[in-house]
Each structure stands twice: as C-alpha cells, then as structure tokens.
C-alpha cells in the first residue's frame, strides 16, 4: 500500500505524538521508582542502540555505517541537545514547571524566524502568526493561574530564556541535518544521536551527583527492594517507546518544517499536561485547563509556511497547464511551436514525394 505525501505526514505526526506523550508518562512513573533522570535517559539511549543493531542482525532494518563526515554535524546537534537538557534542569531548579512551559511555548516563534532566515521558508502568514500568538497567550494564561509563577522575580527567568533559545537552535539545526546529511536509512539519524548522546548524558548525571545518589539508593534497601520489579519493567517499556520516538521524531522532522515540528512538540506537551491533570487529579483550576485548550487551538490555527522556491513557481504563473512547461516535463505533450514544426516537416516530406 502506497501512502500519499499528506497521509505520510499525518502518520508521522501521529506516531511522534503518541510516542512523545507515552514516553513522558512512562518516564514520570519510572522516576517515581528511580529518581535519576540522566541515568534513566542514558539507559534508554543505550537500549535503543542495542535494539536497532539487534534488528539489523536479524535482517529487519538497514543501518547506515558510522562515518566521521556524518559524525561532525551530529556532534553540534548533540551539543544543542545536551545544553538544552542542562538548561531545562537549571530552569526547574530556579523556577517552576509553569514558567518553563511558558518559555517553551515561545520557541516556535523563534524557529519561525530561523526557518525564514536560514532554511528557505517563507515568512509565516498572518493566520500563522495569530496561531503562534494564541499558543503563547494560552501558555501564559495556564501559568498565571499558578501562585508560584506570580511571585517569582526576574532572576528566575534567566535559565528558561537560555532553554528556549537553545531549543530553537536545536530544532532549526535538526531540520538542516535532515536536508544536508546524506543518510540512506531511517535508522541512521537514530543511531548517530543515541551513540553521541550517551556521553553528554553521563556527564550530566555526574553534574547532578546521580552516581553517588544511586549507589546510596541501591545499598540502602534490602536485596528485594533495591531495584523494584516495576522499575525494571518501566525501564524496558520506556526503552522500546524511546526507540519508537527516535524513529518517529526524525521521520516527522523530515516531513514538516522546523517550526511545525517545534509546534507539534509544544502541543504534545500541552496534551500531556492535560492528561496528567485528568489521571493524577492535581486539582488544576478550570481557567488553567481552559488555557491548555487555547494552546491546542493555536496549534490548529497555524499553517506551515511554503518553501521560497515553491512560492516563486506560483508567482511566475508556471503551472502544469502551461503547454510550454508540459512539453518540457512530459515527452508526449507538445507545445504549439512543436506542432508547427511537425506540420512544416510533414509538408516538406509531402513535396519531396511529389
């Protein structure tokens, strides 16, 4: 069964959204049993590599070979990724989750500028700017219902600002990698990002003093409670879903613009928060829940900007109905000049026979 491009885009978005939301919930449960975020992510990255190479050994997938020419651009992407994780950790330590959500909602607007300036996209339309503005207003409205957000000073916003800028650079550069790095398989980007991402995550675990904390955690309990069976089960399921998000995220990034991909991530976050409120009964205020729906509405209003080259083709009036254009792209379609030339040659041959 062959999918149309529109169907493939929708499938990529749904796959990425499902894996993203599921992994957030799984990681929240996992951290309840194992409160070591960097170590948990490191385990998931390593498990993803094992899963992919195991599938390759059994002939289920093809994997690009590791080449230094491809490693170099991915190293810069991993730098943005690790820096974003660190800024997010510092943001949560100096402010609250609501503040981070507001600043995260600003990232699609920044990426829209980078899309137009660096990635060949047109500037967003008025409707798209309205959608992005609606998203920011909804996120701010959600955060404003939290008392901690209202009482924080300006010093709490330094790391959220850094986090937003780094995330925007990561999203734009990730799209540039998809366009410029010649990998032949869907597994290639997943392998490169996971292989290169393990070392920074282990370093972040050291920054967070997670090794000594895990050591104390492991030896503090009895033999039967050191690693609860549920934590092992959640690590395994999280690793499988993490592998899925590795594939689906790069697939989705390939299908849509950098701004659209960033926007999808923010909307997924809002949906996850809404689901989180409903499942864990955190007694969110009705106004806050309404603002989450405003964020989702902003995402629905947004329309992806076309490539600049596509707009030029439209503006010049060249379409598939133009007979001159059709004669160039279809050998069986001829323009009027071609037909006149054929008539002259036919007349000439008739005279020769006469």
């Amino acid at each position: 069964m062959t999918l149309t491009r529109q169907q493939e885009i929708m499938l990529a978005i749904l796959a990425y959204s499902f894996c993203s939301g599921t992994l957030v919930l799984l990681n929240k449960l996992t951290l309840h049993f194992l409160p070591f975020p960097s170590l948990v992510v490191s385990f998931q990255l390593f498990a993803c590599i094992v899963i992919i190479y195991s599938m390759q050994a059994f002939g289920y997938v093809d994997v690009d070979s590791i080449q230094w020419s491809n490693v170099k651009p991915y190293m810069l992407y991993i730098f943005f990724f690790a820096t974003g994780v660190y800024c997010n950790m510092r943001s949560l330590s100096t402010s609250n989750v609501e503040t981070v959500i507001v600043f995260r909602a600003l990232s699609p607007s920044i990426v829209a500028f980078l899309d137009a300036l660096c990635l060949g996209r047109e500037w967003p339309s008025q409707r798209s700017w309205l959608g992005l503005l609606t998203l920011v207003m909804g996120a701010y409205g959600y955060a404003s219902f939290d008392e901690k957000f209202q009482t924080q000073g300006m010093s709490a916003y330094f790391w959220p600002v850094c986090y937003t800028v780094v995330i925007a650079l990561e999203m734009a550069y990730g799209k540039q990698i998809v366009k410029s790095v010649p990998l032949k398989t869907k597994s290639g980007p997943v392998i490169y990002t996971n292989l290169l991402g393990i070392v920074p995550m282990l370093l972040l675990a050291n920054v967070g003093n997670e090794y000594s904390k895990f050591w104390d955690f492991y030896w503090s309990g009895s033999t039967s409670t050191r690693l609860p069976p549920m934590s092992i089960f959640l690590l395994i399921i999280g690793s499988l879903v993490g592998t899925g998000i590795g594939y689906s995220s790069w697939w989705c990034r390939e299908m849509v613009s950098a701004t659209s991909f960033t926007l999808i991530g923010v909307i997924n976050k809002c949906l996850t928060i809404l689901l989180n409120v409903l499942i864990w009964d955190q007694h969110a205020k009705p106004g806050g829940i309404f603002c989450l729906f405003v964020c989702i509405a902003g995402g629905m209003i947004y329309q992806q900007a076309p490539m600049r080259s596509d707009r030029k083709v439209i503006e010049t009036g060249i379409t598939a109905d133009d007979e001159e254009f059709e004669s160039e792209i279809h050998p069986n379609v001829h323009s009027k000049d071609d037909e006149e030339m054929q008539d002259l040659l036919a007349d000439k041959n008739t005279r020769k026979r006469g």
Side-chain angles (χ1 to χ4, degrees):
M1 178 181 178
T2 303
L3 298 175
T4 64
R5 179 169 177 80
Q6 194 67 24
Q7 290 172 334
E8 189 175 1
I9 291 173
M10 288 303 300
L11 186 59
I13 292 174
L14 289 174
Y16 171 59
S17 299
F18 172 79
C19 291
S20 176
T22 304
L23 188 61
V24 169
L25 296 176
L26 283 172
N27 281 346
K28 179 170 183 176
L29 291 172
T30 303
L31 292 175
H32 176 73
F33 294 97
L34 299 172
F36 315 105
S38 297
L39 290 178
V40 169
V41 173
S42 299
F43 179 86
Q44 291 174 344
L45 295 177
F46 178 75
C48 178
I49 296 169
V50 173
I51 291 171
I52 292 175
Y53 279 122
S54 297
M55 290 193 297
Q56 182 192 31
F58 286 99
Y60 291 112
V61 297
D62 294 323
V63 182
D64 290 271
S65 60
I66 304 299
Q67 299 180 7
W68 176 246
S69 59
N70 295 333
V71 169
K72 290 189 289 185
Y74 274 95
M75 287 180 67
L76 181 56
Y77 176 82
I78 293 300
F79 170 77
F80 288 137
F81 167 75
T83 306
V85 172
Y86 179 75
C87 290
N88 186 40
M89 293 169 58
R90 293 300 303 269
S91 298
L92 294 174
S93 66
T94 59
S95 58
N96 58 13
V97 176
E98 283 70 23
T99 302
V100 176
I101 292 172
V102 171
F103 280 91
R104 183 72 170 83
L106 294 172
S107 58
S109 301
I110 301 175
V111 178
F113 279 91
L114 297 175
D115 245 342
L117 295 174
C118 306
L119 297 175
R121 290 273 171 185
E122 287 286 335
W123 290 99
S125 63
Q126 292 181 352
R127 170 176 171 169
S128 296
W129 282 121
L130 176 62
L132 294 174
L133 179 61
T134 303
L135 172 68
V136 174
M137 291 175 61
Y140 179 82
Y142 172 76
S144 65
F145 282 93
D146 186 89
E147 295 179 358
K148 294 180 180 178
F149 178 80
Q150 300 171 6
T151 58
Q152 291 181 89
M154 291 300 297
S155 60
Y157 299 147
F158 174 76
W159 285 109
V161 169
C162 293
Y163 172 63
T164 303
V165 173
V166 171
I167 282 293
L169 293 173
E170 178 191 340
M171 295 298 153
Y173 186 69
K175 182 64 178 181
Q176 179 61 28
I177 286 180
V178 170
K179 296 168 61 176
S180 61
V181 179
L183 296 179
K184 299 178 181 179
T185 69
K186 298 291 185 184
S187 304
V190 187
I191 282 294
Y192 276 96
T193 51
N194 281 266
L195 278 173
L196 296 174
I198 289 179
V199 173
M201 292 310 301
L202 292 176
L203 291 175
L204 287 175
N206 185 56
V207 171
N209 202 26
E210 292 186 20
Y211 296 111
S212 59
K213 291 179 181 178
F214 178 76
W215 184 262
D216 295 337
F217 171 84
Y218 184 80
W219 291 107
S220 62
S222 62
T223 305
S224 59
T225 60
R226 286 173 183 170
L227 285 178
M230 180 56 70
S231 67
I232 298 175
F233 173 76
L234 290 172
L235 278 175
I236 294 173
I237 299 299
S239 298
L240 293 174
V241 177
T243 303
I245 199 175
Y247 278 96
S248 60
S249 63
W250 285 102
W251 183 25
C252 186
R253 181 178 268 128
E254 180 183 354
M255 292 288 102
V256 301
S257 69
T259 306
S260 296
F261 182 75
T262 310
L263 183 64
I264 292 168
V266 175
I267 297 301
N268 286 342
K269 184 69 174 175
C270 293
L271 289 172
T272 303
I273 294 171
L274 184 60
L275 184 62
N276 193 33
V277 169
L278 296 176
I279 292 178
W280 275 275
D281 190 24
Q282 294 182 344
H283 304 288
K285 296 180 180 180
I289 296 177
F290 171 77
C291 289
L292 288 176
F293 282 106
V294 172
C295 292
I296 296 170
M300 296 175 66
I301 294 172
Y302 176 82
Q303 285 184 329
Q304 178 172 285
M307 294 297 293
R308 208 166 288 132
S309 57
D310 297 340
R311 179 63 59 86
K312 288 180 179 179
V313 170
I314 295 174
E315 290 176 351
T316 54
I318 299 176
T319 66
D321 294 328
D322 192 316
E323 58 187 3
E324 297 287 347
F325 181 65
E326 286 186 328
S327 67
E328 292 179 8
I329 62 175
H330 298 295
N332 295 327
V333 179
H334 306 285
S335 65
K336 289 181 179 179
D337 290 340
D338 294 332
E339 293 174 358
E340 291 176 1
M341 181 62 70
Q342 290 177 357
D343 291 339
L344 289 173
L345 290 175
D347 184 56
K348 185 177 181 179
N349 291 332
T350 302
R351 292 177 181 176
K352 284 183 178 180
R353 294 193 191 97

